[in-house]
Amino acid sequence: MNTGGPNSATPVVVVGGGVAGAAAALVLAELGRDVALIDRREPTPLAADAPLDPRVVAISPGSQRLLATLGAWRRLDAGRYAPYARMQVAAGRGEVRFEAGEHGLDALGVIVEIPALVDALWAGLRGHRRVHLHAPAEIRALDLEPDRARLTLADGTRFDAELLIGADGARSAVRTAAGIDIDTVDYNQKALVTHLSSEQANPGTAWQRFTALGPLALLPLPQPSGNQGRSSLVWSVPNDHAERLMALDDAAFIEALNEHALGAPFGKVTAIEARHALPLIRRTARRLASGRVGLLGDAARNVHPLAGQGLNLGLADVAVLAEQLGGQRTRPDIALARYARRRGSDAALVAGGIHVLSELRGFGLPALEGLGIGFGLMKRSRLARGVFVDRACGLKEVEGGIRVLEAR
């Protein structure tokens, strides 16, 4: 798909059409800016009868509100996502439970497929009068000047943009072109991911246990007729254990999983689908903006999947970008600098906390027992639970951007 001419003076170019990039392009278009979205491929529309994708994420109430404001949430098939009103986290002998109703919420989050989110956002982009889609497309040249970014695609299409947004993933070419360095931490872990069936149905609970190998999470999935015990597994384990577990046949893997999923409220795992092992590497851009270039989503940072905050951080980036660019007309570089200050501190706080928790595994079971004691304290304190839920829901992070969008 290519909706632009050979020479384009499009004011804003977004590189990367995943969830964060597509949301950013739609936000900026809704704020009255002409936007070119460039991606190496155009996503294939999701068939209604397609099997659930293994790539699922926990969407926070804040992210859901942003997606609803953009019209994307109503385009999702309700049979392909699962809200959860309860979260249980266990470590050692301690456990803490979070209930949505205790905090005035209908749900603490929603488990949804990444391809479904991309599909819903692209449905809003296609045909939007201010959006020019270039996919599949390859960038042949990228030159950054103090007041503009010049891009040339492999097909000869050229852009002269006053603002360039890099949402092109962990190995961002935009970030590299802007000369922005990254800090990297290899966790020497892999996330083992699959969908599974259990003895009892998952009634809408996100359950997590800190095991001796690493955090193990069972997340609710839509419950189709005849298969009422489905959940999504995300189990972060050291590389050597990941190789051993991936080499097991299904029966042996299920046995190992049940040994570590102590206290799972859905009973024992009875069946699994195809398994995937994803390397876990933390990458953090040292700056989120440089001149007329801004970074968001995975181009800005990768975080451990421990707290399920990766995609939510990217959508909070989009909301703050909208807040800074959608208010008073200011120079794009000044607006980007404000965005970078806001998101640099907010995201570093979340990512740093996740990093500390993930490193506890390296200290063995005593550290996990201590973490369990901390959970016991949270269990007795509604205030402490409220602070945790407030941060995890991400409502404050997106409220400014939503106000700007609603006022358009």
Side-chain angles (χ1 to χ4, degrees), residues 50-53 56-57 77-84 110-113 116 195-197 201-204 219-232 273:
L52 283 178
D53 197 280
V56 298
V57 290
D77 180 351
R80 301 190 71 91
Y81 61 79
Y84 57 94
V110 182
I111 304 301
V112 61
E113 303 161 281
H195 295 335
L196 56 82
S197 299
N202 185 330
L219 309 171
L221 290 175
Q223 305 293 315
S225 177
N227 188 358
Q228 297 299 310
R230 299 191 77 200
S231 294
S232 176
E273 299 178 16

PDB file of all heavy atoms in Angstrom, residues 50-53 56-57 77-84 110-113 116 195-197 201-204 219-232 273:
ATOM      1  N   ALA A  50      -9.556 -17.001  12.962  1.00  0.00           N
ATOM      2  CA  ALA A  50      -8.136 -17.301  13.154  1.00  0.00           C
ATOM      3  C   ALA A  50      -7.902 -17.787  14.583  1.00  0.00           C
ATOM      4  O   ALA A  50      -8.529 -17.295  15.524  1.00  0.00           O
ATOM      5  CB  ALA A  50      -7.290 -16.056  12.891  1.00  0.00           C
ATOM      6  N   PRO A  51      -7.005 -18.777  14.776  1.00  0.00           N
ATOM      7  CA  PRO A  51      -6.704 -19.212  16.144  1.00  0.00           C
ATOM      8  C   PRO A  51      -6.050 -18.090  16.936  1.00  0.00           C
ATOM      9  O   PRO A  51      -5.432 -17.175  16.359  1.00  0.00           O
ATOM     10  CB  PRO A  51      -5.732 -20.380  15.934  1.00  0.00           C
ATOM     11  CG  PRO A  51      -5.145 -20.154  14.580  1.00  0.00           C
ATOM     12  CD  PRO A  51      -6.212 -19.494  13.766  1.00  0.00           C
ATOM     13  N   LEU A  52      -6.187 -18.130  18.253  1.00  0.00           N
ATOM     14  CA  LEU A  52      -5.582 -17.099  19.086  1.00  0.00           C
ATOM     15  C   LEU A  52      -4.073 -17.102  18.912  1.00  0.00           C
ATOM     16  O   LEU A  52      -3.433 -18.151  18.973  1.00  0.00           O
ATOM     17  CB  LEU A  52      -5.932 -17.313  20.558  1.00  0.00           C
ATOM     18  CG  LEU A  52      -7.333 -16.919  21.010  1.00  0.00           C
ATOM     19  CD1 LEU A  52      -7.510 -17.249  22.487  1.00  0.00           C
ATOM     20  CD2 LEU A  52      -7.585 -15.444  20.767  1.00  0.00           C
ATOM     21  N   ASP A  53      -3.511 -15.942  18.709  1.00  0.00           N
ATOM     22  CA  ASP A  53      -2.067 -15.803  18.538  1.00  0.00           C
ATOM     23  C   ASP A  53      -1.367 -15.983  19.886  1.00  0.00           C
ATOM     24  O   ASP A  53      -1.896 -15.543  20.916  1.00  0.00           O
ATOM     25  CB  ASP A  53      -1.748 -14.406  17.972  1.00  0.00           C
ATOM     26  CG  ASP A  53      -0.361 -14.311  17.396  1.00  0.00           C
ATOM     27  OD1 ASP A  53       0.587 -14.149  18.204  1.00  0.00           O
ATOM     28  OD2 ASP A  53      -0.204 -14.394  16.175  1.00  0.00           O
ATOM     29  N   VAL A  56       0.230 -12.449  23.266  1.00  0.00           N
ATOM     30  CA  VAL A  56      -0.807 -11.713  23.980  1.00  0.00           C
ATOM     31  C   VAL A  56      -0.151 -10.787  24.995  1.00  0.00           C
ATOM     32  O   VAL A  56       0.968 -11.023  25.449  1.00  0.00           O
ATOM     33  CB  VAL A  56      -1.800 -12.660  24.689  1.00  0.00           C
ATOM     34  CG1 VAL A  56      -2.530 -13.530  23.682  1.00  0.00           C
ATOM     35  CG2 VAL A  56      -1.107 -13.518  25.723  1.00  0.00           C
ATOM     36  N   VAL A  57      -0.839  -9.710  25.336  1.00  0.00           N
ATOM     37  CA  VAL A  57      -0.321  -8.724  26.280  1.00  0.00           C
ATOM     38  C   VAL A  57      -1.426  -8.324  27.248  1.00  0.00           C
ATOM     39  O   VAL A  57      -2.618  -8.480  26.958  1.00  0.00           O
ATOM     40  CB  VAL A  57       0.207  -7.459  25.560  1.00  0.00           C
ATOM     41  CG1 VAL A  57       1.483  -7.757  24.802  1.00  0.00           C
ATOM     42  CG2 VAL A  57      -0.856  -6.887  24.624  1.00  0.00           C
ATOM     43  N   ASP A  77     -12.857  -7.654  18.349  1.00  0.00           N
ATOM     44  CA  ASP A  77     -13.858  -8.690  18.571  1.00  0.00           C
ATOM     45  C   ASP A  77     -13.803  -9.089  20.044  1.00  0.00           C
ATOM     46  O   ASP A  77     -12.773  -9.565  20.531  1.00  0.00           O
ATOM     47  CB  ASP A  77     -13.543  -9.886  17.670  1.00  0.00           C
ATOM     48  CG  ASP A  77     -14.530 -11.036  17.831  1.00  0.00           C
ATOM     49  OD1 ASP A  77     -15.358 -10.999  18.757  1.00  0.00           O
ATOM     50  OD2 ASP A  77     -14.439 -11.988  17.034  1.00  0.00           O
ATOM     51  N   ALA A  78     -14.915  -8.911  20.759  1.00  0.00           N
ATOM     52  CA  ALA A  78     -14.935  -9.197  22.199  1.00  0.00           C
ATOM     53  C   ALA A  78     -14.653 -10.666  22.501  1.00  0.00           C
ATOM     54  O   ALA A  78     -14.269 -11.008  23.627  1.00  0.00           O
ATOM     55  CB  ALA A  78     -16.290  -8.799  22.796  1.00  0.00           C
ATOM     56  N   GLY A  79     -14.810 -11.529  21.504  1.00  0.00           N
ATOM     57  CA  GLY A  79     -14.508 -12.936  21.705  1.00  0.00           C
ATOM     58  C   GLY A  79     -13.039 -13.260  21.629  1.00  0.00           C
ATOM     59  O   GLY A  79     -12.636 -14.415  21.817  1.00  0.00           O
ATOM     60  N   ARG A  80     -12.202 -12.233  21.386  1.00  0.00           N
ATOM     61  CA  ARG A  80     -10.766 -12.463  21.236  1.00  0.00           C
ATOM     62  C   ARG A  80      -9.948 -11.809  22.351  1.00  0.00           C
ATOM     63  O   ARG A  80      -8.724 -11.733  22.255  1.00  0.00           O
ATOM     64  CB  ARG A  80     -10.283 -11.975  19.871  1.00  0.00           C
ATOM     65  CG  ARG A  80     -10.984 -12.641  18.693  1.00  0.00           C
ATOM     66  CD  ARG A  80     -10.311 -12.306  17.385  1.00  0.00           C
ATOM     67  NE  ARG A  80      -9.009 -12.972  17.289  1.00  0.00           N
ATOM     68  CZ  ARG A  80      -8.824 -14.178  16.757  1.00  0.00           C
ATOM     69  NH1 ARG A  80      -9.856 -14.869  16.311  1.00  0.00           N
ATOM     70  NH2 ARG A  80      -7.622 -14.696  16.694  1.00  0.00           N
ATOM     71  N   TYR A  81     -10.609 -11.291  23.377  1.00  0.00           N
ATOM     72  CA  TYR A  81      -9.855 -10.759  24.518  1.00  0.00           C
ATOM     73  C   TYR A  81     -10.555 -11.146  25.814  1.00  0.00           C
ATOM     74  O   TYR A  81     -11.724 -11.525  25.834  1.00  0.00           O
ATOM     75  CB  TYR A  81      -9.647  -9.250  24.417  1.00  0.00           C
ATOM     76  CG  TYR A  81     -10.891  -8.397  24.394  1.00  0.00           C
ATOM     77  CD1 TYR A  81     -11.592  -8.094  25.563  1.00  0.00           C
ATOM     78  CD2 TYR A  81     -11.343  -7.840  23.201  1.00  0.00           C
ATOM     79  CE1 TYR A  81     -12.721  -7.297  25.548  1.00  0.00           C
ATOM     80  CE2 TYR A  81     -12.481  -7.037  23.172  1.00  0.00           C
ATOM     81  CZ  TYR A  81     -13.152  -6.762  24.343  1.00  0.00           C
ATOM     82  OH  TYR A  81     -14.270  -5.958  24.318  1.00  0.00           O
ATOM     83  N   ALA A  82      -9.800 -11.064  26.909  1.00  0.00           N
ATOM     84  CA  ALA A  82     -10.320 -11.519  28.205  1.00  0.00           C
ATOM     85  C   ALA A  82      -9.942 -10.530  29.297  1.00  0.00           C
ATOM     86  O   ALA A  82      -8.757 -10.358  29.609  1.00  0.00           O
ATOM     87  CB  ALA A  82      -9.761 -12.904  28.544  1.00  0.00           C
ATOM     88  N   PRO A  83     -10.912  -9.852  29.907  1.00  0.00           N
ATOM     89  CA  PRO A  83     -10.606  -8.971  31.044  1.00  0.00           C
ATOM     90  C   PRO A  83     -10.330  -9.794  32.299  1.00  0.00           C
ATOM     91  O   PRO A  83     -10.780 -10.938  32.415  1.00  0.00           O
ATOM     92  CB  PRO A  83     -11.883  -8.145  31.204  1.00  0.00           C
ATOM     93  CG  PRO A  83     -12.958  -9.019  30.641  1.00  0.00           C
ATOM     94  CD  PRO A  83     -12.336  -9.832  29.543  1.00  0.00           C
ATOM     95  N   TYR A  84      -9.587  -9.217  33.193  1.00  0.00           N
ATOM     96  CA  TYR A  84      -9.389  -9.860  34.495  1.00  0.00           C
ATOM     97  C   TYR A  84      -9.652  -8.847  35.603  1.00  0.00           C
ATOM     98  O   TYR A  84      -9.169  -7.719  35.581  1.00  0.00           O
ATOM     99  CB  TYR A  84      -8.002 -10.496  34.631  1.00  0.00           C
ATOM    100  CG  TYR A  84      -6.818  -9.578  34.422  1.00  0.00           C
ATOM    101  CD1 TYR A  84      -6.195  -8.949  35.496  1.00  0.00           C
ATOM    102  CD2 TYR A  84      -6.308  -9.348  33.149  1.00  0.00           C
ATOM    103  CE1 TYR A  84      -5.103  -8.122  35.318  1.00  0.00           C
ATOM    104  CE2 TYR A  84      -5.222  -8.520  32.951  1.00  0.00           C
ATOM    105  CZ  TYR A  84      -4.622  -7.909  34.036  1.00  0.00           C
ATOM    106  OH  TYR A  84      -3.532  -7.087  33.847  1.00  0.00           O
ATOM    107  N   VAL A 110      -6.812  -6.209  30.650  1.00  0.00           N
ATOM    108  CA  VAL A 110      -7.401  -7.071  29.628  1.00  0.00           C
ATOM    109  C   VAL A 110      -6.275  -7.779  28.899  1.00  0.00           C
ATOM    110  O   VAL A 110      -5.296  -7.143  28.489  1.00  0.00           O
ATOM    111  CB  VAL A 110      -8.249  -6.266  28.616  1.00  0.00           C
ATOM    112  CG1 VAL A 110      -8.888  -7.193  27.598  1.00  0.00           C
ATOM    113  CG2 VAL A 110      -9.313  -5.443  29.322  1.00  0.00           C
ATOM    114  N   ILE A 111      -6.398  -9.103  28.725  1.00  0.00           N
ATOM    115  CA  ILE A 111      -5.445  -9.857  27.939  1.00  0.00           C
ATOM    116  C   ILE A 111      -5.935  -9.881  26.497  1.00  0.00           C
ATOM    117  O   ILE A 111      -7.063 -10.301  26.215  1.00  0.00           O
ATOM    118  CB  ILE A 111      -5.281 -11.298  28.462  1.00  0.00           C
ATOM    119  CG1 ILE A 111      -4.885 -11.284  29.947  1.00  0.00           C
ATOM    120  CG2 ILE A 111      -4.247 -12.049  27.636  1.00  0.00           C
ATOM    121  CD1 ILE A 111      -3.586 -10.554  30.249  1.00  0.00           C
ATOM    122  N   VAL A 112      -5.097  -9.420  25.574  1.00  0.00           N
ATOM    123  CA  VAL A 112      -5.510  -9.302  24.169  1.00  0.00           C
ATOM    124  C   VAL A 112      -4.323  -9.634  23.267  1.00  0.00           C
ATOM    125  O   VAL A 112      -3.167  -9.432  23.635  1.00  0.00           O
ATOM    126  CB  VAL A 112      -6.057  -7.879  23.887  1.00  0.00           C
ATOM    127  CG1 VAL A 112      -5.000  -6.828  24.135  1.00  0.00           C
ATOM    128  CG2 VAL A 112      -6.611  -7.752  22.470  1.00  0.00           C
ATOM    129  N   GLU A 113      -4.618 -10.146  22.087  1.00  0.00           N
ATOM    130  CA  GLU A 113      -3.581 -10.475  21.115  1.00  0.00           C
ATOM    131  C   GLU A 113      -2.967  -9.205  20.517  1.00  0.00           C
ATOM    132  O   GLU A 113      -3.684  -8.257  20.191  1.00  0.00           O
ATOM    133  CB  GLU A 113      -4.164 -11.275  19.957  1.00  0.00           C
ATOM    134  CG  GLU A 113      -4.865 -12.565  20.310  1.00  0.00           C
ATOM    135  CD  GLU A 113      -5.758 -12.996  19.167  1.00  0.00           C
ATOM    136  OE1 GLU A 113      -6.865 -12.435  19.045  1.00  0.00           O
ATOM    137  OE2 GLU A 113      -5.336 -13.882  18.406  1.00  0.00           O
ATOM    138  N   ALA A 116      -4.374  -8.507  17.016  1.00  0.00           N
ATOM    139  CA  ALA A 116      -5.717  -7.932  17.047  1.00  0.00           C
ATOM    140  C   ALA A 116      -5.661  -6.428  17.290  1.00  0.00           C
ATOM    141  O   ALA A 116      -6.426  -5.655  16.685  1.00  0.00           O
ATOM    142  CB  ALA A 116      -6.560  -8.615  18.120  1.00  0.00           C
ATOM    143  N   HIS A 195      -0.111 -21.258  24.976  1.00  0.00           N
ATOM    144  CA  HIS A 195      -1.464 -21.323  25.521  1.00  0.00           C
ATOM    145  C   HIS A 195      -1.665 -22.715  26.083  1.00  0.00           C
ATOM    146  O   HIS A 195      -1.129 -23.706  25.559  1.00  0.00           O
ATOM    147  CB  HIS A 195      -2.511 -21.029  24.447  1.00  0.00           C
ATOM    148  CG  HIS A 195      -2.450 -19.634  23.905  1.00  0.00           C
ATOM    149  ND1 HIS A 195      -1.920 -18.586  24.626  1.00  0.00           N
ATOM    150  CD2 HIS A 195      -2.854 -19.104  22.714  1.00  0.00           C
ATOM    151  CE1 HIS A 195      -2.004 -17.483  23.899  1.00  0.00           C
ATOM    152  NE2 HIS A 195      -2.560 -17.767  22.749  1.00  0.00           N
ATOM    153  N   LEU A 196      -2.450 -22.815  27.155  1.00  0.00           N
ATOM    154  CA  LEU A 196      -2.626 -24.109  27.810  1.00  0.00           C
ATOM    155  C   LEU A 196      -4.051 -24.291  28.298  1.00  0.00           C
ATOM    156  O   LEU A 196      -4.851 -23.349  28.339  1.00  0.00           O
ATOM    157  CB  LEU A 196      -1.628 -24.249  28.966  1.00  0.00           C
ATOM    158  CG  LEU A 196      -1.629 -23.151  30.059  1.00  0.00           C
ATOM    159  CD1 LEU A 196      -2.720 -23.395  31.087  1.00  0.00           C
ATOM    160  CD2 LEU A 196      -0.273 -23.088  30.748  1.00  0.00           C
ATOM    161  N   SER A 197      -4.344 -25.539  28.661  1.00  0.00           N
ATOM    162  CA  SER A 197      -5.630 -25.887  29.271  1.00  0.00           C
ATOM    163  C   SER A 197      -5.368 -26.411  30.671  1.00  0.00           C
ATOM    164  O   SER A 197      -4.339 -27.053  30.927  1.00  0.00           O
ATOM    165  CB  SER A 197      -6.356 -26.955  28.444  1.00  0.00           C
ATOM    166  OG  SER A 197      -6.634 -26.480  27.141  1.00  0.00           O
ATOM    167  N   ALA A 201     -11.646 -23.824  34.855  1.00  0.00           N
ATOM    168  CA  ALA A 201     -11.635 -22.618  34.031  1.00  0.00           C
ATOM    169  C   ALA A 201     -10.952 -21.469  34.754  1.00  0.00           C
ATOM    170  O   ALA A 201     -10.990 -21.383  35.986  1.00  0.00           O
ATOM    171  CB  ALA A 201     -13.070 -22.221  33.661  1.00  0.00           C
ATOM    172  N   ASN A 202     -10.339 -20.610  33.990  1.00  0.00           N
ATOM    173  CA  ASN A 202      -9.798 -19.368  34.531  1.00  0.00           C
ATOM    174  C   ASN A 202     -10.935 -18.347  34.549  1.00  0.00           C
ATOM    175  O   ASN A 202     -11.410 -17.937  33.492  1.00  0.00           O
ATOM    176  CB  ASN A 202      -8.642 -18.866  33.665  1.00  0.00           C
ATOM    177  CG  ASN A 202      -7.963 -17.639  34.234  1.00  0.00           C
ATOM    178  OD1 ASN A 202      -8.595 -16.835  34.917  1.00  0.00           O
ATOM    179  ND2 ASN A 202      -6.689 -17.481  33.958  1.00  0.00           N
ATOM    180  N   PRO A 203     -11.396 -17.938  35.726  1.00  0.00           N
ATOM    181  CA  PRO A 203     -12.579 -17.066  35.805  1.00  0.00           C
ATOM    182  C   PRO A 203     -12.272 -15.590  35.611  1.00  0.00           C
ATOM    183  O   PRO A 203     -13.103 -14.743  35.927  1.00  0.00           O
ATOM    184  CB  PRO A 203     -13.084 -17.336  37.228  1.00  0.00           C
ATOM    185  CG  PRO A 203     -11.825 -17.589  38.009  1.00  0.00           C
ATOM    186  CD  PRO A 203     -10.893 -18.309  37.065  1.00  0.00           C
ATOM    187  N   GLY A 204     -11.108 -15.275  35.102  1.00  0.00           N
ATOM    188  CA  GLY A 204     -10.720 -13.880  34.944  1.00  0.00           C
ATOM    189  C   GLY A 204      -9.711 -13.454  35.988  1.00  0.00           C
ATOM    190  O   GLY A 204      -9.824 -12.378  36.583  1.00  0.00           O
ATOM    191  N   LEU A 219      -2.286 -16.281  32.516  1.00  0.00           N
ATOM    192  CA  LEU A 219      -3.153 -15.149  32.214  1.00  0.00           C
ATOM    193  C   LEU A 219      -4.410 -15.627  31.511  1.00  0.00           C
ATOM    194  O   LEU A 219      -4.360 -16.552  30.690  1.00  0.00           O
ATOM    195  CB  LEU A 219      -2.408 -14.155  31.313  1.00  0.00           C
ATOM    196  CG  LEU A 219      -1.023 -13.736  31.813  1.00  0.00           C
ATOM    197  CD1 LEU A 219      -0.294 -12.937  30.751  1.00  0.00           C
ATOM    198  CD2 LEU A 219      -1.143 -12.943  33.100  1.00  0.00           C
ATOM    199  N   PRO A 220      -5.568 -15.019  31.813  1.00  0.00           N
ATOM    200  CA  PRO A 220      -6.831 -15.509  31.241  1.00  0.00           C
ATOM    201  C   PRO A 220      -6.902 -15.297  29.729  1.00  0.00           C
ATOM    202  O   PRO A 220      -6.409 -14.305  29.196  1.00  0.00           O
ATOM    203  CB  PRO A 220      -7.888 -14.677  31.967  1.00  0.00           C
ATOM    204  CG  PRO A 220      -7.176 -13.426  32.371  1.00  0.00           C
ATOM    205  CD  PRO A 220      -5.765 -13.845  32.671  1.00  0.00           C
ATOM    206  N   LEU A 221      -7.517 -16.249  29.056  1.00  0.00           N
ATOM    207  CA  LEU A 221      -7.797 -16.162  27.628  1.00  0.00           C
ATOM    208  C   LEU A 221      -9.303 -16.292  27.428  1.00  0.00           C
ATOM    209  O   LEU A 221     -10.017 -16.773  28.315  1.00  0.00           O
ATOM    210  CB  LEU A 221      -7.085 -17.287  26.871  1.00  0.00           C
ATOM    211  CG  LEU A 221      -5.562 -17.210  26.763  1.00  0.00           C
ATOM    212  CD1 LEU A 221      -5.022 -18.461  26.080  1.00  0.00           C
ATOM    213  CD2 LEU A 221      -5.120 -15.960  26.006  1.00  0.00           C
ATOM    214  N   PRO A 222      -9.793 -15.869  26.275  1.00  0.00           N
ATOM    215  CA  PRO A 222     -11.208 -16.142  25.988  1.00  0.00           C
ATOM    216  C   PRO A 222     -11.479 -17.635  26.125  1.00  0.00           C
ATOM    217  O   PRO A 222     -10.636 -18.466  25.770  1.00  0.00           O
ATOM    218  CB  PRO A 222     -11.358 -15.680  24.530  1.00  0.00           C
ATOM    219  CG  PRO A 222     -10.268 -14.678  24.335  1.00  0.00           C
ATOM    220  CD  PRO A 222      -9.121 -15.139  25.184  1.00  0.00           C
ATOM    221  N   GLN A 223     -12.640 -17.969  26.654  1.00  0.00           N
ATOM    222  CA  GLN A 223     -12.970 -19.369  26.933  1.00  0.00           C
ATOM    223  C   GLN A 223     -13.980 -19.875  25.905  1.00  0.00           C
ATOM    224  O   GLN A 223     -15.187 -19.734  26.087  1.00  0.00           O
ATOM    225  CB  GLN A 223     -13.542 -19.492  28.347  1.00  0.00           C
ATOM    226  CG  GLN A 223     -12.662 -18.920  29.439  1.00  0.00           C
ATOM    227  CD  GLN A 223     -11.373 -19.710  29.623  1.00  0.00           C
ATOM    228  OE1 GLN A 223     -11.380 -20.923  29.659  1.00  0.00           O
ATOM    229  NE2 GLN A 223     -10.259 -19.012  29.737  1.00  0.00           N
ATOM    230  N   PRO A 224     -13.502 -20.469  24.810  1.00  0.00           N
ATOM    231  CA  PRO A 224     -14.439 -20.966  23.795  1.00  0.00           C
ATOM    232  C   PRO A 224     -15.231 -22.155  24.310  1.00  0.00           C
ATOM    233  O   PRO A 224     -14.803 -22.862  25.221  1.00  0.00           O
ATOM    234  CB  PRO A 224     -13.521 -21.382  22.637  1.00  0.00           C
ATOM    235  CG  PRO A 224     -12.211 -21.694  23.299  1.00  0.00           C
ATOM    236  CD  PRO A 224     -12.108 -20.738  24.460  1.00  0.00           C
ATOM    237  N   SER A 225     -16.389 -22.367  23.724  1.00  0.00           N
ATOM    238  CA  SER A 225     -17.250 -23.482  24.126  1.00  0.00           C
ATOM    239  C   SER A 225     -16.502 -24.799  23.981  1.00  0.00           C
ATOM    240  O   SER A 225     -15.859 -25.047  22.964  1.00  0.00           O
ATOM    241  CB  SER A 225     -18.517 -23.498  23.266  1.00  0.00           C
ATOM    242  OG  SER A 225     -19.319 -24.611  23.589  1.00  0.00           O
ATOM    243  N   GLY A 226     -16.573 -25.626  25.011  1.00  0.00           N
ATOM    244  CA  GLY A 226     -15.925 -26.920  24.970  1.00  0.00           C
ATOM    245  C   GLY A 226     -14.499 -26.908  25.461  1.00  0.00           C
ATOM    246  O   GLY A 226     -13.874 -27.956  25.580  1.00  0.00           O
ATOM    247  N   ASN A 227     -13.964 -25.732  25.747  1.00  0.00           N
ATOM    248  CA  ASN A 227     -12.589 -25.654  26.263  1.00  0.00           C
ATOM    249  C   ASN A 227     -12.539 -24.517  27.269  1.00  0.00           C
ATOM    250  O   ASN A 227     -12.096 -23.417  26.967  1.00  0.00           O
ATOM    251  CB  ASN A 227     -11.592 -25.429  25.123  1.00  0.00           C
ATOM    252  CG  ASN A 227     -10.143 -25.528  25.591  1.00  0.00           C
ATOM    253  OD1 ASN A 227      -9.879 -25.737  26.777  1.00  0.00           O
ATOM    254  ND2 ASN A 227      -9.211 -25.378  24.672  1.00  0.00           N
ATOM    255  N   GLN A 228     -13.023 -24.766  28.473  1.00  0.00           N
ATOM    256  CA  GLN A 228     -13.244 -23.719  29.461  1.00  0.00           C
ATOM    257  C   GLN A 228     -12.051 -23.473  30.385  1.00  0.00           C
ATOM    258  O   GLN A 228     -12.161 -22.712  31.322  1.00  0.00           O
ATOM    259  CB  GLN A 228     -14.475 -24.066  30.298  1.00  0.00           C
ATOM    260  CG  GLN A 228     -15.759 -24.136  29.483  1.00  0.00           C
ATOM    261  CD  GLN A 228     -16.105 -22.820  28.817  1.00  0.00           C
ATOM    262  OE1 GLN A 228     -16.112 -21.784  29.473  1.00  0.00           O
ATOM    263  NE2 GLN A 228     -16.380 -22.837  27.527  1.00  0.00           N
ATOM    264  N   GLY A 229     -10.913 -24.108  30.134  1.00  0.00           N
ATOM    265  CA  GLY A 229      -9.801 -23.961  31.055  1.00  0.00           C
ATOM    266  C   GLY A 229      -8.570 -23.363  30.428  1.00  0.00           C
ATOM    267  O   GLY A 229      -7.455 -23.742  30.768  1.00  0.00           O
ATOM    268  N   ARG A 230      -8.731 -22.417  29.515  1.00  0.00           N
ATOM    269  CA  ARG A 230      -7.590 -21.883  28.772  1.00  0.00           C
ATOM    270  C   ARG A 230      -6.940 -20.708  29.487  1.00  0.00           C
ATOM    271  O   ARG A 230      -7.612 -19.824  30.018  1.00  0.00           O
ATOM    272  CB  ARG A 230      -7.986 -21.449  27.362  1.00  0.00           C
ATOM    273  CG  ARG A 230      -8.531 -22.557  26.486  1.00  0.00           C
ATOM    274  CD  ARG A 230      -8.640 -22.104  25.061  1.00  0.00           C
ATOM    275  NE  ARG A 230      -7.339 -22.088  24.404  1.00  0.00           N
ATOM    276  CZ  ARG A 230      -7.079 -21.376  23.305  1.00  0.00           C
ATOM    277  NH1 ARG A 230      -7.999 -20.595  22.788  1.00  0.00           N
ATOM    278  NH2 ARG A 230      -5.880 -21.423  22.751  1.00  0.00           N
ATOM    279  N   SER A 231      -5.593 -20.706  29.468  1.00  0.00           N
ATOM    280  CA  SER A 231      -4.805 -19.581  29.967  1.00  0.00           C
ATOM    281  C   SER A 231      -3.580 -19.431  29.085  1.00  0.00           C
ATOM    282  O   SER A 231      -3.216 -20.346  28.330  1.00  0.00           O
ATOM    283  CB  SER A 231      -4.362 -19.807  31.421  1.00  0.00           C
ATOM    284  OG  SER A 231      -5.456 -19.835  32.314  1.00  0.00           O
ATOM    285  N   SER A 232      -2.940 -18.297  29.169  1.00  0.00           N
ATOM    286  CA  SER A 232      -1.679 -18.058  28.478  1.00  0.00           C
ATOM    287  C   SER A 232      -0.547 -18.147  29.493  1.00  0.00           C
ATOM    288  O   SER A 232      -0.628 -17.564  30.576  1.00  0.00           O
ATOM    289  CB  SER A 232      -1.680 -16.673  27.816  1.00  0.00           C
ATOM    290  OG  SER A 232      -0.423 -16.396  27.232  1.00  0.00           O
ATOM    291  N   GLU A 273      -0.289 -25.896  23.933  1.00  0.00           N
ATOM    292  CA  GLU A 273      -0.180 -25.703  22.491  1.00  0.00           C
ATOM    293  C   GLU A 273       1.301 -25.502  22.147  1.00  0.00           C
ATOM    294  O   GLU A 273       2.170 -25.787  22.973  1.00  0.00           O
ATOM    295  CB  GLU A 273      -1.052 -24.517  22.067  1.00  0.00           C
ATOM    296  CG  GLU A 273      -2.527 -24.747  22.374  1.00  0.00           C
ATOM    297  CD  GLU A 273      -3.413 -23.577  22.005  1.00  0.00           C
ATOM    298  OE1 GLU A 273      -2.968 -22.692  21.242  1.00  0.00           O
ATOM    299  OE2 GLU A 273      -4.570 -23.532  22.490  1.00  0.00           O
TER     300      GLU A 273
END
